[in-house]
Amino acid sequence: MRIILLGPPGAGKGTQAARLVEKYGLPYISTGDILRAARNSDTELGRKAKEYMDRGELVPDEVVIGLVRERLSRLRQRGSFILDGFPRTVAQAKALDEILAELGMALDRVIDLEVDPPALVRRLSRRRTCRVCGAVYHLDYNPPQQPGVCDSCGGELYQRPDDQEATIQRRLQVYFEQTRPLEEYYERRRLLTRIDGEASIDEVELAIETVLGLKEQE
Ligand code: AMP
């Protein structure tokens, strides 16, 4: 199973990926998670990533492509992956095609989670993330059992700096300008499936499992 989760920030990619990882044990690559971990370290990559992430801009293609190339090479034996947040530009999608060809792997499906901008803003501004394991919550729709504490690992929940109102707008703009063209890119290759990301978390999960042939359609 080799899949990409596509969709704007706040569409539910991370939430759905976490469920698929837990249920099916698929190796998971989130460029956002990798970059956030780097951002907190005192390395050149960390400093560079921070500069872009805090403004809601994309980290340069060559940096992100290098990270993904390294991760995918390590996963070669497993032959499966979920990519979340990559690719985000056409240049990244082209690079991914090359990397996968080199590794003798092919994409099975690109799942596009569709959510309208007002709902995205509501989701992102009320989102809380675990500092330790990266699990995501929503203060109204998917709250943790104990305020401020991660259900999965007990870590501290915080608001990502880029989930603050001013940066959210820029991230959405960047998505529409740079990432949305990927829908057409994958549609032309007959790999794209659109799913209504405004349905409940369980409904979206079922829709994804059905598309991937993991659940029989009723
Ligand atoms: P995410 O957690 O996927 O929302 O990503 C958070 C931030 O990390 C983004 O706003 C970008 O600054 C950066 N980032 C994550 N993935 C990529 C990517 N594929 N290309 C460029 N920047 C990325």
Side-chain angles (χ1 to χ4, degrees), residues 22-214:
E22 192 180 323
K23 261 192 182 168
Y24 303 103
L26 295 172
Y28 173 55
I29 303 174
S30 154
T31 44
D33 283 355
I34 297 169
L35 292 167
R36 264 185 296 284
R39 182 186 176 283
N40 296 330
S41 67
D42 189 22
T43 59
E44 203 196 323
L45 171 64
R47 280 187 290 277
K48 198 162 189 181
K50 180 175 174 1
E51 188 188 318
Y52 293 95
M53 293 172 84
D54 289 356
R55 283 188 282 128
E57 304 290 339
L58 295 183
V59 173
D61 284 338
E62 66 275 12
V63 174
V64 188
I65 290 167
L67 293 173
V68 171
R69 179 187 297 278
E70 184 198 321
R71 295 296 196 286
L72 283 175
S73 309
R74 277 196 248 146
L75 285 177
R76 190 185 200 156
Q77 300 298 326
R78 301 279 301 274
S80 293
F81 58 79
I82 303 181
L83 273 172
D84 164 5
F86 182 94
R88 258 177 156 100
T89 64
V90 171
Q92 292 179 17
K94 288 184 176 161
L96 178 63
D97 285 344
E98 283 172 25
I99 295 169
L100 292 178
E102 281 165 26
L103 296 174
M105 297 199 266
L107 282 174
D108 291 311
R109 192 111 306 265
V110 178
I111 307 267
D112 183 28
L113 297 177
E114 295 187 302
V115 177
D116 284 340
L120 295 171
V121 174
R122 278 197 302 279
R123 288 182 178 191
L124 292 168
S125 58
R126 302 280 288 163
R127 175 159 80 175
R128 294 296 180 270
T129 305
C130 175
R131 265 191 211 284
V132 181
C133 73
V136 287
Y137 298 86
H138 187 280
L139 292 180
D140 312 306
Y141 312 136
N142 181 29
Q145 281 166 12
Q146 222 183 309
V149 181
C150 177
D151 292 348
S152 317
C153 76
E156 182 204 354
L157 303 184
Y158 79 117
Q159 182 176 38
R160 281 169 42 174
D162 59 346
D163 279 346
Q164 283 157 24
E165 201 83 29
T167 318
I168 289 175
Q169 296 299 340
R170 179 61 192 145
R171 287 166 70 203
L172 294 182
Q173 195 182 2
V174 165
Y175 168 78
F176 284 107
E177 287 170 9
Q178 303 193 47
T179 308
R180 197 118 188 249
L182 292 183
E183 289 181 20
E184 198 193 323
Y185 184 90
Y186 288 117
E187 204 158 34
R188 266 202 250 123
R189 287 163 178 72
R190 301 190 186 288
L191 286 169
L192 192 82
T193 301
R194 292 191 166 87
I195 287 182
D196 174 11
E198 292 197 36
S200 72
I201 297 176
D202 287 343
E203 285 166 333
V204 174
E205 182 185 4
L206 182 60
I208 294 176
E209 290 177 311
T210 306
V211 165
L212 297 178
L214 298 165

